[in-house]
Amino acid sequence: MTGKRTAFVNARLVDPASRLDAPGGLLVEDGLIRDLGPRLFHDGHPADAEIVDCKGRVLAPGLIDMRVFTGEPGSEHRETLASASRAAAAGGVTTIVVMPNTDPIIDEPSLVDFIKRRAAATASVRVLPMAALTRHLAGETMTEIGLLMEAGAIAFTDGDRTIANARVMRRALDYASTFGALVVGHAEDPDLSAGAAMNEGEFATRLGIPAAPNVAETIIVERDIRLVELTGARYHIGQISCRASLDAVADAKARGLPITCGVSAHHLALNELDVGSYLTFRKVKPPLRSEADRAAMVEGVASGTIDVIVSSHDPQAADTKRQTFAQAAFGAVGLETLLPAALGVHHDGRATLLHLLATMTTAPARILGLDAGTLAKGAPADLVLFDPEVPFVVEADDLHSRARNTPFEGRKFQGRAQMTFVGGVCVYDRARDAEN
Amino acid sequence: MPGRDDTPILKTSHLLGIEGISVGEITALLDLADDYVTLGRSAEKKLGLLKGRTLINLFFEASTRTQSSFELAGKRLGADVLNMSVKTSSVSKGETLIDTATTLNAMRPDILVVRHQDSGAAELLSRKLDCCVVNAGDGSHEHPTQALLDALTIRRRRGGFEGLIVTICGDVLHSRVARSNIVLLSKMGARVRIAAPRTLLPADADRLGVEIFTDMRAALAGADIVMMLRLQQERMAGAFVPSTREYFRFYGLDREKLKLAKPGAFVMHPGPMNRGVEIDSTVADDIEVSVIQEQVEMGVAIRMAVLDALSRGLAAGGRNAP
């Protein structure tokens, strides 16, 4: 039995895995990529296939976002798996890796199973749960990494919390390495950054906002690099945000350590000055840094020291953001602006489109051990169609996330998803969206 | 049958660890212990080799099995046996180990059997006392009579050690039983594997001459003998191992995992067992594969052999002679 076939014609095929960037076509059958290439469909389209005319736009592997916070379970008013997946689809993201920082915290095999079942029932994109590294995210005792992996946890993290105790971190890395599990760390020394709302420096001084120095991040990055050296565990730093951290990671990689790292799209596009007049939507963790640090992050993406770009999507309800800067919650939504904000690095001439897309496709797939993130025959047909040149203005009201706390309101970007496909099924079509 | 034979067996007047004794000494102790197994199975179990000698069991850690085994061994050889546990000694009142040793020394014991929570305690006492010291377990260091009784059990079943694959599973990091067994079995020509999560593997364990596994199934493949270690309760709560159920799932010995070992492989455990943590009851209680009860019997025989061997040095002049 031959299933549903979809023919993508007149596409600019961009596949970082094979370094392909050429005009061509792609055929999807039964949710998988059946064939692709510049000469495909030269002899005409398959008669039984549905045709998608790409009109010369980029057809690339769907994005994989390694850092997404939702509110399900526990605070569904902020975001559900369903609403996060709608935002992801609208952003060209076909796989979201969700953090365990929910209520209850995902630190039990049955809760991993809950996320998977809820996602299967309600989400339109692929959802991969990370489980907590320590019970209750308390940074004291490790979770059942073996059983959680069997339940389907893709990696282990305390999300936006740092494990302060080096002994606990060492044992957790040791134990994780027993199972070959990936540990994802958050680098922010909890004592140095206690009570801080932004990056320490002249601007924080002028605003009078309690601030933490960027070394609060680098101290943990350097500590964890030493612990990885000791334990041999696979370790990914969820986000870095400053030059010194970048240098530390570059050095660790040069020494052959199994370390990777990410950066959020907003740390590539914004700096501490964007806090402006106490804009709480730009209060994020780690905080927006100096322009020099922001430029270092772009440099890190360009050099490949930074492996992945993430949205660090963190939906917050209006009431927790409509506060003084010090009181407001941390976090910004980002799924729908991940691609446009990241594309800025390409538009500024710092990275080819292939290189830039690799940070959101092949790199996360490699780190997580997924077969997604590539336009290969037999791979799942997770696709994004976009024109990298078309400009638009970010408007919070257009967002699909349940929360509207975008740090990019009013910002002009170039290039956003027009259509998104998961397993060959269209999960987002901007043309149709505009009619509604 | 053992009798008054003064042929020296041990070169030293203490038994502090397997590390310090030779293949020849180990073999001689096992040979002697074989005789004491026979004696223990006869109606008249008592000899007068240690008549008039004083044996003190000084236990700073509770141990029903080892302490009663030494007590029985001493009594069967005719010694006067005094049991001192930490609850009844001055140590609980703040006395230092050296002070305790000095006090005990004044009572002129011939043999002191000591168990202590700190590594090196037996050696420290051996330097301060005039009597023979037997290490009955010091911290995470050594437990030589356990390794000897395990060796006796193995040798009686397999005839020797050469080429045997022995897989030691569990908390190797904190285990004195594992250390003594690794040293002894390697000395005797067996191939030792250790299997544990990385949190329970000691640093640079490969330097001990063993093969290291984090996957217990791989470690069991083709094993002749499976030696399980006890996991202490306080180590199951998240610091070293996240939970007992996870530990049992990946490192507990059950029927299914045991199938990976060689046909006819047998299972050992130094006791006391945590059923459902490191070993499943169906394995522990299966007399076809489990030699755990036999280990206890061998324990008495090996301790008689050790006391006998040490007393031969005493007979040659006596360390504690006036």
Side-chain angles (χ1 to χ4, degrees):
Chain A
M1 183 191 111
T2 301
K4 188 169 176 276
R5 280 146 67 101
T6 310
F8 292 82
V9 302
N10 301 324
R12 175 184 166 193
L13 299 172
V14 178
D15 179 40
S18 61
R19 308 206 57 74
L20 171 73
D21 184 350
L26 184 145
L27 180 66
V28 171
E29 189 177 293
D30 291 329
L32 302 177
I33 296 172
R34 175 71 187 277
D35 204 355
L36 77 159
R39 303 191 56 79
L40 193 66
F41 310 135
H42 265 211
D43 304 327
H45 313 145
D48 57 343
E50 186 186 328
I51 307 294
V52 176
D53 186 353
C54 300
K55 298 174 184 160
R57 290 178 292 199
V58 170
L59 186 64
L63 308 185
I64 301 166
D65 188 344
M66 278 184 73
R67 194 171 180 83
V68 174
F69 295 85
T70 80
E72 185 169 356
S75 45
E76 286 81 357
H77 65 285
R78 290 200 288 127
E79 193 86 292
T80 61
L81 292 167
S83 65
S85 78
R86 282 194 295 274
V93 177
T94 52
T95 300
I96 58 175
V97 179
V98 294
M99 297 288 121
N101 310 54
T102 50
D103 182 14
I105 289 156
I106 310 303
D107 61 0
E108 280 276 333
S110 59
L111 293 168
V112 172
D113 191 54
F114 168 81
I115 297 287
K116 285 174 61 184
R117 282 186 291 111
R118 280 296 289 170
T122 65
S124 54
V125 302
R126 299 181 200 275
V127 176
L128 302 173
M130 282 195 198
L133 184 59
T134 67
R135 282 182 194 274
H136 317 302
L137 303 176
E140 286 162 9
T141 58
M142 63 180 101
T143 54
E144 295 163 311
I145 288 173
L147 297 175
L148 288 161
M149 269 179 101
E150 287 188 339
I154 191 83
F156 297 84
T157 183
D158 276 5
D160 60 355
R161 295 199 199 176
T162 298
I163 292 171
N165 185 319
R167 188 188 66 232
V168 172
M169 188 64 179
R170 182 257 171 110
R171 294 234 180 94
L173 288 168
D174 252 336
Y175 193 76
S177 76
T178 305
F179 297 92
L182 176 71
V183 172
V184 177
H186 177 73
E188 210 169 13
D189 184 282
D191 294 309
L192 266 178
S193 57
M198 70 175 291
N199 184 50
E200 189 172 291
E202 179 194 337
F203 196 58
T205 299
R206 288 184 186 280
L207 291 175
I209 289 177
N214 57 14
V215 298
E217 172 180 302
T218 308
I219 284 169
I220 298 298
V221 168
E222 290 180 337
R223 178 199 76 173
D224 287 352
I225 286 169
R226 293 295 167 191
L227 292 176
V228 167
E229 198 167 12
L230 182 68
T231 60
R234 289 202 298 137
Y235 184 62
H236 176 79
I237 306 162
Q239 285 177 258
I240 62 168
S241 65
C242 67
R243 153 121 8 233
S245 300
L246 181 72
D247 291 345
V249 171
D251 178 64
K253 287 185 166 190
R255 287 190 286 135
L257 297 178
I259 285 177
T260 52
C261 74
V263 68
S264 82
H266 45 260
H267 283 92
L268 292 170
L270 300 170
N271 67 28
E272 60 189 347
L273 297 176
D274 290 305
V275 168
S277 52
Y278 305 96
L279 300 176
T280 60
F281 282 13
R282 290 174 183 169
K283 180 178 175 181
V284 290
K285 266 175 100 150
L288 296 173
R289 302 290 188 193
S290 69
E291 175 55 20
D293 280 336
R294 187 204 64 82
M297 293 302 96
V298 173
E299 186 188 310
V301 168
S303 71
T305 299
I306 294 175
D307 300 87
V308 302
I309 302 175
V310 296
S311 70
S312 205
H313 182 82
D314 191 359
Q316 296 295 338
D319 56 312
T320 60
K321 282 292 191 182
R322 226 177 275 136
Q323 301 266 2
T324 62
F325 199 86
Q327 297 288 323
F330 288 96
V333 292
L335 276 164
E336 292 167 77
T337 46
L338 170 64
L339 177 62
L343 277 172
V345 177
H346 167 60
H347 292 310
D348 291 345
R350 302 300 303 273
T352 63
L353 190 58
L354 274 172
H355 181 82
L356 186 81
L357 286 178
T359 65
M360 294 172 281
T361 54
T362 48
R366 170 174 47 83
I367 293 165
L368 298 168
L370 308 177
D371 62 358
T374 175
L375 301 182
K377 288 180 198 172
D382 295 355
L383 306 165
V384 56
L385 184 67
F386 69 97
D387 185 334
E389 308 303 329
V390 172
F392 73 100
V393 176
V394 176
E395 287 177 44
D397 287 345
D398 293 344
L399 298 178
H400 297 75
S401 174
R402 195 164 276 193
R404 298 293 151 91
N405 54 307
T406 174
F408 294 123
E409 172 75 27
R411 174 101 173 210
K412 292 184 188 107
F413 284 127
Q414 275 177 279
R416 61 175 166 178
Q418 293 301 321
M419 293 180 87
T420 306
F421 298 83
V422 174
V425 176
C426 180
V427 293
Y428 182 74
D429 182 347
R430 192 165 298 281
R432 228 182 297 154
D433 193 30
E435 291 163 16
N436 298 334
Chain B
M1 209 46 22
R4 289 215 178 270
D5 181 351
D6 288 340
T7 314
I9 287 176
L10 292 169
K11 291 188 203 71
T12 60
S13 48
H14 308 291
L15 179 65
L16 300 178
I18 299 297
E19 192 71 61
I21 58 175
S22 67
V23 170
E25 289 172 296
I26 291 166
T27 305
L29 280 172
L30 297 182
D31 291 345
L32 186 57
D34 268 330
D35 291 339
Y36 282 118
V37 173
T38 310
L39 179 71
R41 288 175 181 176
S42 62
E44 177 54 56
K45 300 178 175 64
K46 209 156 169 172
L47 291 177
L49 290 179
L50 296 185
K51 193 165 185 300
R53 301 291 189 186
T54 302
L55 168 73
I56 297 181
N57 269 330
L58 177 61
F59 276 65
F60 293 89
E61 276 183 351
S63 163
T64 315
R65 198 173 301 237
T66 308
Q67 184 172 333
S68 53
S69 182
F70 269 108
E71 181 178 353
L72 196 55
K75 285 179 172 167
R76 282 188 180 168
L77 291 174
D80 294 316
V81 180
L82 175 68
N83 286 318
M84 287 184 68
S85 64
V86 70
K87 286 195 190 85
T88 56
S89 81
S90 305
V91 174
S92 57
K93 298 172 192 160
E95 190 176 73
T96 67
L97 183 60
I98 303 242
D99 288 342
T100 306
T102 315
T103 308
L104 288 174
N105 208 33
M107 296 177 190
R108 298 189 174 274
D110 298 284
I111 299 174
L112 178 77
V113 175
V114 63
R115 162 159 304 179
H116 197 278
Q117 59 275 16
D118 291 341
S119 303
E123 177 156 345
L124 179 64
L125 288 174
S126 75
R127 283 192 246 118
K128 299 291 170 188
L129 269 71
D130 296 321
C131 65
C132 301
V133 173
V134 180
N135 182 5
D138 64 324
S140 304
H141 178 225
E142 281 235 41
H143 190 355
T145 56
Q146 178 71 44
L148 286 165
L149 77 86
D150 289 340
L152 183 63
T153 310
I154 293 170
R155 198 180 74 164
R156 287 173 65 92
R157 287 191 160 250
R158 288 293 146 93
F161 303 93
E162 203 60 48
L164 287 180
I165 297 176
V166 183
T167 300
I168 303 177
C169 298
D171 186 1
V172 181
L173 178 65
H174 301 99
S175 176
R176 52 196 173 218
V177 174
R179 274 173 186 68
S180 289
N181 265 307
I182 287 167
V183 176
L184 187 149
L185 293 167
S186 308
K187 261 184 216 232
M188 303 306 284
R191 285 173 54 195
V192 182
R193 297 173 176 173
I194 58 176
R198 289 213 182 275
T199 41
L200 295 177
L201 284 173
D204 294 331
D206 54 320
R207 302 291 291 274
L208 302 178
V210 297
E211 284 179 85
I212 298 170
F213 294 80
T214 52
D215 178 357
M216 181 174 171
R217 292 164 180 279
L220 289 177
D224 294 281
I225 294 155
V226 184
M227 203 177 267
M228 300 305 299
L229 300 174
R230 175 179 169 77
L231 182 66
Q232 304 285 347
Q233 289 288 342
E234 63 269 24
R235 300 192 175 120
M236 303 174 198
F240 292 91
V241 168
S243 67
T244 54
R245 70 176 178 184
E246 169 140 329
Y247 189 78
F248 184 69
R249 168 80 180 73
F250 294 98
Y251 296 98
L253 186 66
D254 55 17
R255 287 252 170 238
E256 194 218 328
K257 292 197 192 86
L258 185 58
K259 276 189 199 142
L260 299 164
K262 250 185 212 162
F266 60 88
V267 176
M268 308 178 78
H269 192 297
M273 285 180 279
N274 290 304
R275 292 168 184 269
V277 178
E278 71 259 359
I279 192 162
D280 190 73
S281 281
T282 62
V283 173
D285 298 337
D286 181 352
I287 53 167
E288 297 294 316
V289 298
S290 165
V291 299
I292 296 168
Q293 294 312 312
E294 193 175 318
Q295 286 173 275
V296 178
E297 183 190 1
M298 296 305 123
V300 178
I302 209 76
R303 281 155 190 141
M304 289 174 80
V306 166
L307 297 177
D308 179 352
L310 290 172
S311 73
R312 294 178 189 200
L314 292 173
R319 278 180 62 83
N320 212 11

